[in-house]
Amino acid sequence: MIEASIQVRRITNKVKKFYELFGFRHFIRYQNGRAIIKGGKRLGLDEIECVVADTARGTTVGFYKINTLQGLFYSLPFLGLILIQLLNRVDFLDDYISGGNNPLSINLLTLFTGNGSLNYTFVFSVLFIALLPWFIDYSIQTIRVANIKARFSFYSKSAVWETREIPTSLIILQSIKSAFTQAYLLAIFFFAIFAFDDTSVGEVVKLYRTSEESLLLATQTTFSLTVGIVIGLLSADKAIKLQKQISTYDKRQRISGSSLERKLEPILLGIQAAIYSAFVFSLFLSTTFFSDAPFSLSIQFITFAILGGIVAGIIHQEEQIWLTSIYAVVIFFTSILFIFRTGSNPEYAFLVILQLFLIPLPFIIHYSTQFRKSLLENGIDTFEWLYDFIPIMGMYSIYIQNKRQKQVKDAYEAELDKSISLSELDERGIAINKLTFQDSSSSAYKLARHYFELIISYTASFEENVFVIIPTSTQLYQWWVTETKIQSDESKIEMIDFIDKLLWDNDFQPPEVQISEYEKVAKEMVITLQ
Amino acid sequence: MKKIKLIFIFIVLLGTTNIVNVQSQVIGDIVTITPDEGFELEGQASGKLVWPEGKRQVVELNLTKTLLPTNISRIYVDVITFDIIGNIEGIDAQVDTASTTPEFILSETNQTAYLNQTLFPPDLADQFFINITMLVGTSFNRQVRLHVIRFPDEGTILVDRDKLVPLVNLYGFPPSSFFSKFLPLYAIIVTVLLIPGFYYSISKLLRSSRKAKSSIIDEEENNND
């Protein structure tokens, strides 16, 4: 940080503000006089890197997209479906996978892939669904980098250039991820009985006076109704929330117009999202759980998804608990609906009872949505994780944040060990004669370093043509609070007053303990600034 | 004239419904059994072609000895079995059976033995026929042989099911064999679903305990000062 010039710091500050303006969380690292500012909106690793460096031509700024293959991580569970099919062909594993010789005595192949067999259609549909999230993330990243490049060149000249952030179709496609995983989870529950051994299935079929084929058809019918509504509900809700978040940075995405238009737009977006997600999921269903179902059930699935999308569009402004409750109510009322078919089709009696077990699921998932607070506390504001239940990427993002904070702290502390002479300040006309600051390993010396680091950063936050003077304690403190968005703390303003007095008042000789205490506060202020 | 025409049409319609009404007893064709021994036995079954669900029906069987060679003095009919063959999803399968040991002995020409067998319509099949199997032996050769008479000769007997279907019929909870596998799977999935919530709760607990510890240390330092 010490080595970066004022110009590099100034431009770094601009990039930082620019990232903040458009909702990117950022991480700044100074290395060999260059500043590398990584920006990210999604979970996991950062997606854009900006390098600010002093060259012979002047200060250069470059934006690059990085970690483009990260989106493949979301594909892994679906690629796992192909993997499980391949492993089942291995002699000593097939007994474990499809032979039921596992602790749960379940045919794992049927549990995870329904009746899907390893043919071209299955592989194609799974690969399409696996690569879709990667393609969506890649497209969004490309658009963002292009937009940022275009905007920054105008922004630095104080001009405004409003490019479109992300197209609505990509927002909708991004919203289908969590709805997809929810629907797949429910598919595992609904069709689990067909993965059990013949005795279990036989007893159920006998008890309900039906046949296995009738039970399968009834399960598919119930699934297309219940889960159709659920997938529409969740994907629509996420799409509306994503658009709302993007609209805070791109005014053209904001819902505007008359009150009727403002009510209709979310409903229309919800319907679009529901159709997209139901269509993509029905592609997957057709090769797995619905492989021998009539085509009309796929159409029914999409139709009921539209209904879910309409409901999400109506309740989008309500609290999260509304969505959870509607999710549970959908399962409950579809059970009631199917009760009246039990007289003529006894197999529905089994599905009515199965659905009763699924009613607590939305409330369990609602309990887990507070993981979003963990992300927000670590400065990660993204709707990428909303109803997902495997928060690996979220936890990894939090781990990366903490690791980088530690890296910043360690890098700064390592620089403190370098004995940079304060005589450099003499060249700039700042004379510090006090003996207190002569020992480079003393707390006072370090405290002075932190203070001048803050002053230099303060100076760099102004435009080139703005005349900057040394700030007062209050000005410096207010600037720091604005930059870091951390709530006010009296110890920090006390520290600034203290160092100010220590530097310029020759008669002020505080005890070492007090200096050391304020040195820690000052170090924390500098590290937090980065 | 018009009135007469109307009455005539009404009678014809009534007669037609009677023809269509198949609830009356139907007598099957006479089946002649002529084994190698040289005797002749005629069997004839009769019964209704529509059986109401759950109600017992009687199938009659007449056996008449029509020819007896000189070397045979008696015909023995030891066991008669009524096998109900139902059509379930296109496949004929035995759904019920009733057997009796009438121990008929037919020694005189044109002697007839009568048998009435009470049967119930099957639950699983809506159409069925009856194979009447007889074990027949003679005084010349006591070793019995199998002879079968089908009733009806062609076609099937229909089961008239009660059209009144209950609106709600829940048939009870699934069996324990289902729950023994479903509940562990359910527990595993619920645990996975709760992981994010647990992560937040645990990290919150750790943070609040760290804050409590640091405030205790600060207090102690202040007290020492």
Side-chain angles (χ1 to χ4, degrees), chain A residues 49 90 104 128 333 376 403:
Chain A
E49 191 174 85
V90 177
L104 287 175
F128 171 76
F333 275 110
L376 286 169
K403 188 180 165 190

Side-chain angles (χ1 to χ4, degrees), chain A residues 222-260:
Chain A
T222 316
F223 180 85
S224 68
L225 174 60
T226 308
V227 182
I229 299 176
V230 167
I231 200 173
L233 194 69
L234 297 179
S235 59
D237 182 74
K238 195 165 175 183
I240 294 166
K241 285 189 163 74
L242 275 171
Q243 193 193 39
K244 201 174 173 187
Q245 190 183 45
I246 287 171
S247 71
T248 56
Y249 316 117
D250 186 352
K251 286 179 190 164
R252 287 166 303 168
Q253 292 275 6
R254 281 186 197 168
I255 298 167
S256 56
S258 64
S259 68
L260 181 66

Side-chain angles (χ1 to χ4, degrees), chain A residues 3 6 36 144 189 191 199 263 276 411 446 470 504:
Chain A
E3 294 165 4
I6 292 277
I36 299 166
R144 278 184 175 147
F189 271 126
F191 293 94
T199 318
K263 280 178 190 160
Y276 269 73
K446 286 178 186 170
I470 299 288
W504 312 119

Side-chain angles (χ1 to χ4, degrees), chain A residues 288-304:
Chain A
T288 52
F289 301 98
F290 275 31
S291 58
D292 50 4
F295 179 68
S296 58
L297 287 183
S298 296
I299 302 298
Q300 186 175 289
F301 184 70
I302 296 172
T303 310
F304 282 103

Side-chain angles (χ1 to χ4, degrees), chain A residues 315-424:
Chain A
I315 62 155
H316 71 101
Q317 284 175 323
E318 306 294 343
E319 298 280 331
Q320 194 70 29
I321 191 70
W322 273 69
L323 192 84
T324 305
S325 308
I326 286 173
Y327 188 158
V329 157
V330 160
I331 299 174
F332 178 70
F333 275 110
T334 48
S335 294
I336 300 288
L337 199 74
F338 285 117
I339 279 178
F340 294 102
R341 286 192 72 169
T342 54
S344 51
N345 297 95
E347 52 273 6
Y348 283 99
F350 168 75
L351 289 155
V352 164
I353 291 163
L354 180 69
Q355 286 206 169
L356 293 177
F357 276 89
L358 301 182
I359 290 173
L361 279 182
F363 298 105
I364 292 167
I365 293 163
H366 182 75
Y367 171 75
S368 286
T369 55
Q370 57 185 339
F371 176 70
R372 196 171 140 68
K373 287 183 199 169
S374 284
L375 292 171
L376 286 169
E377 279 165 10
N378 284 277
I380 303 167
D381 184 11
T382 174
F383 282 105
E384 198 178 320
W385 192 94
L386 195 53
Y387 305 110
D388 303 305
F389 35 81
I390 302 177
I392 292 177
M393 287 306 279
M395 289 178 190
Y396 179 64
S397 303
I398 293 171
Y399 164 73
I400 291 282
Q401 290 279 106
N402 293 331
K403 188 180 165 190
R404 281 180 179 157
Q405 275 163 10
K406 194 169 176 309
Q407 275 176 350
V408 165
K409 192 177 167 190
D410 292 344
Y412 185 63
E413 281 173 0
E415 281 187 4
L416 287 177
D417 291 337
K418 292 180 195 169
S419 56
I420 295 171
S421 170
L422 279 174
S423 61
E424 281 183 12

Side-chain angles (χ1 to χ4, degrees), chain B residues 44-56:
Chain B
Q44 192 176 43
S46 65
K48 290 188 181 167
L49 291 184
V50 177
W51 291 18
E53 186 184 10
K55 296 227 166 83
R56 59 180 175 196

Side-chain angles (χ1 to χ4, degrees), chain A residues 104-105 185 189 192 196-197 200 203-204 207-208 339-340 342-344 346 349-350 353-354 357 360-361 364 367-368 370-371 373-374 377 385 389 391 395 398, chain B residues 89 165-186 188-190 192-201 203 207:
Chain A
L104 287 175
S105 305
L185 174 78
F189 271 126
F196 298 166
D197 58 10
S200 307
E203 282 188 10
V204 167
L207 176 68
Y208 292 99
I339 279 178
F340 294 102
T342 54
S344 51
F350 168 75
I353 291 163
L354 180 69
F357 276 89
L361 279 182
I364 292 167
Y367 171 75
S368 286
Q370 57 185 339
F371 176 70
K373 287 183 199 169
S374 284
E377 279 165 10
W385 192 94
F389 35 81
M395 289 178 190
I398 293 171
Chain B
E89 292 175 8
V165 178
L167 191 61
V168 176
N169 196 345
L170 281 176
Y171 293 91
F173 250 56
S176 55
S177 58
F178 167 76
F179 281 115
S180 64
K181 290 188 176 46
F182 181 75
L183 289 177
L185 180 69
Y186 188 79
I188 290 168
I189 290 175
V190 163
V192 167
L193 290 174
L194 287 170
I195 287 172
F198 285 154
Y199 179 93
Y200 173 73
S201 305
S203 60
R207 240 180 299 123

